[in-house]
């Protein structure tokens, strides 16, 4: 039976932007113009789900009967019931207003705790498209990602599956899954859903999880308004735009200062940090920022200084 689910949105969804960089989006891959797909594994059985923008909303289609209600709940949660960037409070700085206008149709995604952690580890230092090639095979081999199923997978087989992303990730994922399995089937979900600081410390105790990865997972899962995952790309863009005056190295004190400066513009900054990182990858590169092509140039401190220097 073919099932269709529709989510209404305030404006036409920008599905391409939604799927470009966010960690939960890495479980999805493009199947055609404006169409994306991934496979969910309710009860271990693979169910492909397709999504496309559809006249002011999102349309999901999948073939199933027994798990229909479960999949509906998962999809609504993942796409945050159609909430878009255009509805967020981003008005404290000209660059933020431009960012909101430019990405108004983008939806910030949610994710299940363990799957988000796995995707975040796989994505460490690797391009999104490489993760998209590895993840479906890994999830299908496990029959859906849970700590129990991943820890039961022989380490050589796991290493083979994730080899394109670096074999060291296999040992980290396997060790993490084994730890979480010993602690109980639902312990991880409960702890990650708790307070931001407790969840952060819990994640930092796991193999291969550093400060940035831990903060990234917590902000996705808990939608916390007081934490921003700071990396060198976000720090660079924030300084050049004038959202912070810190231009030092990626030290812990420096990261805390940049995070505090960003959060001073409001809690929605924690949610839209992927948009700033995308600017870093697209135009605001470390060595040669392409200010003339950047949509934020008119509200950017660095672009203004560069323009003055050319006069």
């Amino acid at each position: 039976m073919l099932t269709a689910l529709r989510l209404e949105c305030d404006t036409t969804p920008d599905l391409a932007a939604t799927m470009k960089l966010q960690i939960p989006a890495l479980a999805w891959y493009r199947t055609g113009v404006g169409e994306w797909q991934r496979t969910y594994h309710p009860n271990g059985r693979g169910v492909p789900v397709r999504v496309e923008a559809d006249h002011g909303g999102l349309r999901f289609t999948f073939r199933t009967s027994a798990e229909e209600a479960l999949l509906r709940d998962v999809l609504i949660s993942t796409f945050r019931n159609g909430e878009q960037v255009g509805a967020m409070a981003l008005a404290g700085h000209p660059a933020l207003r431009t960012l909101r206008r430019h990405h108004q149709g983008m939806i910030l995604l949610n994710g299940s705790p363990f799957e988000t952690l796995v995707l975040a580890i796989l994505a460490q230092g690797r391009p999104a498209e490489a993760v998209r090639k590895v993840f479906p095979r890994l999830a299908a081999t496990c029959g859906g990602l849970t700590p129990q199923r991943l820890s039961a997978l022989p380490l050589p087989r796991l290493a083979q599956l994730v080899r394109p992303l670096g074999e060291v990730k296999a040992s980290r994922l396997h060790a993490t899954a084994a730890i979480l399995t010993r602690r109980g089937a639902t312990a991880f979900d409960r702890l990650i859903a708790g307070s931001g600081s407790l969840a952060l410390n819990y994640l930092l105790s796991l193999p291969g999880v550093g400060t940035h990865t831990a903060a990234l997972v917590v902000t996705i899962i808990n939608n916390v308004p007081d934490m921003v995952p700071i990396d060198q790309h976000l720090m660079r863009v924030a300084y050049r735009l004038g959202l912070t005056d810190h231009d030092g190295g990626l030290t812990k004190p420096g990261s805390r200062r940049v995070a505090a400066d960003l959060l001073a513009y409001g809690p929605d900054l924690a949610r839209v940090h992927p948009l700033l990182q995308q600017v870093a990858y697209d135009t605001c590169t470390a060595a040669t920022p392409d200010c003339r092509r950047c949509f934020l140039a008119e509200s950017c401190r660095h672009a203004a200084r560069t323009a003055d220097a050319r006069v």
Side-chain angles (χ1 to χ4, degrees):
M1 180 179 68
L2 186 64
T3 300
L5 167 66
R6 180 179 169 83
L7 282 182
E8 300 291 340
C9 299
D10 291 336
T11 62
T12 299
D14 187 345
L15 196 52
T18 296
M19 295 298 192
K20 192 166 186 179
L21 180 68
Q22 299 181 73
I23 291 297
L26 301 183
W28 297 79
Y29 56 92
R30 191 189 300 272
T31 55
V33 178
E35 295 182 356
W36 294 74
Q37 181 172 304
R38 67 156 295 177
T39 298
Y40 287 96
H41 297 83
N43 302 318
R45 184 176 68 87
V47 179
V49 177
R50 188 179 69 209
V51 61
E52 55 191 319
D54 179 40
H55 303 295
L58 291 174
R59 186 172 185 268
F60 301 88
T61 53
F62 51 90
R63 292 186 181 277
T64 184
S65 55
E67 298 93 356
E68 178 179 336
L70 175 60
L71 279 175
R72 286 176 176 270
D73 289 344
V74 168
L75 291 168
I76 289 171
S77 173
T78 299
F79 286 80
R80 298 187 186 272
N81 208 21
E83 183 183 2
Q84 295 172 287
V85 171
M88 295 180 181
L90 301 171
H93 187 281
L96 297 178
R97 293 194 291 272
T98 303
L99 194 75
R100 180 180 61 188
R101 183 171 61 253
H102 185 80
H103 287 297
Q104 63 179 340
M106 180 178 173
I107 298 172
L108 295 180
L109 302 178
N110 197 355
S112 61
F114 185 65
E115 182 178 282
T116 299
L117 174 60
V118 171
L119 283 166
I121 292 174
L122 291 176
Q124 290 170 344
R126 296 297 183 268
E129 292 312 309
V131 178
R132 286 193 165 100
K133 292 178 180 178
V134 167
F135 179 81
R137 295 196 295 269
L138 176 60
T141 301
C142 292
L145 284 173
T146 66
Q148 296 74 26
R149 291 172 180 167
L150 189 57
S151 64
L153 193 65
L155 181 56
R157 176 58 174 149
L158 178 57
Q160 182 185 40
L161 289 166
V162 306
R163 184 170 292 128
L165 303 176
E167 292 190 28
V168 67
K169 294 181 187 290
S171 58
R172 292 172 178 172
L173 288 171
H174 204 262
T176 291
I179 291 170
L180 299 183
T181 297
R182 289 195 298 269
R183 293 177 179 175
T186 61
F188 181 67
D189 287 12
R190 291 200 312 272
L191 283 164
I192 296 303
S195 72
S197 58
L198 289 176
L200 189 69
N201 290 331
Y202 184 77
L203 285 164
L204 288 171
S205 72
L206 300 174
V209 179
T211 303
H212 179 260
T213 298
L216 185 62
V217 172
V218 170
T219 55
I220 293 169
I221 299 303
N222 286 357
N223 194 23
V224 293
D226 57 354
M227 187 182 300
V228 182
I230 302 296
D231 64 5
Q232 59 185 348
H233 305 294
L234 184 59
M235 181 176 286
R236 178 175 72 249
V237 173
Y239 173 73
R240 287 176 175 172
L241 288 174
L243 296 171
T244 180
D245 285 326
H246 177 77
D247 63 345
L250 193 64
T251 62
K252 287 185 178 179
S255 296
R256 286 194 292 267
R257 177 178 169 183
V258 173
D261 288 345
L262 290 175
L263 290 171
Y265 290 101
D268 278 346
L269 250 296
R271 302 181 60 189
V272 302
H273 73 271
L275 304 184
L276 295 173
Q277 287 179 313
Q278 189 62 59
V279 173
Y281 298 141
D282 287 347
T283 56
C284 198
T285 55
T288 54
D290 192 352
C291 298
R292 295 186 180 185
R293 195 169 58 87
C294 182
F295 70 92
L296 288 173
E298 291 186 1
S299 50
C300 174
R301 176 175 62 183
H302 177 82
R305 291 173 177 172
T306 303
D308 290 342
R310 289 198 300 264
V311 174

